[in-house]
Amino acid sequence: MTGLALEVTVAPAPRRASARRGRGLWLLPPLVVVAVFFGYPLVLVAGQSLSTDDGVGLAKWAEVLGSAEFRDAAWQTVLLALGATAGCVLLGTFFALVVAFVPFPGARTLSRLVDTVLAFPSFLIALAFTFLYGNAGVFGAGGFLYSPWGVLLAEITFYTPFVMRPALAAFSQVPGVQLDVAAALGARPGRVLWRVVLPAALPSLASGACLTLLLALNEFGIVLFLGAKGVTTLPMLVYGKGIVTFDFPAANVVALVDVAISLLLYGSYRVLGGRSRGAAVDAA
């Protein structure tokens, strides 16, 4: 009996090893694709950023990172991204609360419309704003449109659905029993919202905020299309260095800094997104 039990226990080991090898082979093609289409170009960009007249060095990095132009672009990028994220979180949460908890005709249609807006390119918002607020637009507020405030408003308009969609999904997972019990205990709607609804949706809201911050940080179409005076973000600086002045080493330096910030934010988004999905599963 002991030998038989030992035989039954040991026999599956080769099959498990074969299964692991099979999974490893399935991972090989996507790794090759990532290495060829992402890793190799990134290595080329890094190599270009180190090129100098004397060969290879960090002179271009010191020149770019120490310039007032880079500092201003980085500061404007961060301010616009944080402002757009804050505005999107406020508006997206409010609209999601209205759609989820305030019954009105057309709520389902509005929810589907949000999904449609997610597929629009960002320059369409800039184009619509030009027709509305441009010098020859309906409202003729050209000075406002071509300022940092116009860029901020356009980004908030475009990215609010990116917060509203995960917020709607989170609000739909809040058990109705909790709301009924809180109301039966005499809690006011504001207290129910603050103590029950928002804590349950906090991981999803944080995930949507991280995604919005990541997208706003790399926004290029809105800023380029509006042509706002004095607004130079890191993507615009890459465009100016690489396309306008043909300073490719400097453009690569700025691009690598932008990529590093984006990867950091993406990692945060993945962590918060995982927590959001875990909270949704627990609620279900």
Side-chain angles (χ1 to χ4, degrees):
M1 293 296 292
T2 304
L4 179 60
L6 180 61
E7 182 180 357
V8 171
T9 303
V10 175
R15 289 197 295 270
R16 289 197 298 268
S18 177
R20 285 195 294 268
R21 286 195 298 268
R23 288 195 294 268
L25 291 176
W26 278 107
L27 287 175
L28 187 58
L31 288 177
V32 171
V33 171
V34 171
V36 172
F37 292 100
F38 178 75
Y40 180 64
L42 194 60
V43 170
L44 292 180
V45 170
Q48 278 287 330
S49 70
L50 297 174
S51 64
T52 63
D53 295 336
D54 299 327
V56 178
L58 296 175
K60 183 59 68 171
W61 279 84
E63 176 187 341
V64 172
L65 298 182
S67 65
E69 183 182 30
F70 174 81
R71 290 194 298 270
D72 292 342
W75 181 243
Q76 285 190 342
T77 302
V78 171
L79 285 181
L80 283 173
L82 291 177
T85 302
C88 290
V89 169
L90 292 176
L91 287 179
T93 304
F94 173 75
F95 290 149
L97 286 171
V98 171
V99 173
F101 298 110
V102 181
F104 64 93
R108 185 180 297 273
T109 302
L110 180 60
S111 178
R112 292 176 179 175
L113 182 62
V114 171
D115 296 334
T116 304
V117 173
L118 293 176
F120 288 170
S122 60
F123 73 87
L124 284 182
I125 299 296
L127 181 63
F129 271 45
T130 302
F131 289 141
L132 290 175
Y133 307 111
N135 292 326
V138 177
F139 301 105
F144 165 78
L145 180 61
Y146 306 117
S147 68
W149 293 104
V151 175
L152 181 62
L153 180 60
E155 291 187 357
I156 291 175
T157 303
F158 179 70
Y159 289 117
T160 292
F162 289 85
V163 176
M164 186 176 172
R165 170 43 58 193
L168 278 172
F171 292 152
S172 67
Q173 297 292 334
V174 177
V177 176
Q178 293 184 4
L179 303 180
D180 295 337
V181 170
L185 293 175
R188 296 179 179 273
R191 185 175 179 83
V192 174
L193 174 64
W194 186 255
R195 298 297 298 272
V196 178
V197 177
L198 289 181
L202 186 59
S204 294
L205 292 175
S207 177
C210 286
L211 177 60
T212 302
L213 183 62
L214 174 64
L215 295 174
L217 190 73
N218 293 283
E219 178 54 46
F220 177 73
I222 290 177
V223 183
L224 178 65
F225 197 94
L226 291 181
K229 297 178 180 178
V231 178
T232 302
T233 60
L234 290 179
M236 285 295 295
L237 188 59
V238 173
Y239 175 81
K241 293 291 186 182
I243 304 301
V244 179
T245 63
F246 299 102
D247 189 355
F248 294 109
N252 290 325
V253 170
V254 180
L256 286 175
V257 172
D258 202 18
V259 167
I261 298 174
S262 299
L263 289 176
L264 179 62
L265 289 176
Y266 180 72
S268 302
Y269 165 70
R270 293 292 298 176
V271 171
L272 293 172
R275 292 179 180 177
S276 173
R277 288 189 293 269
V281 171
D282 293 340

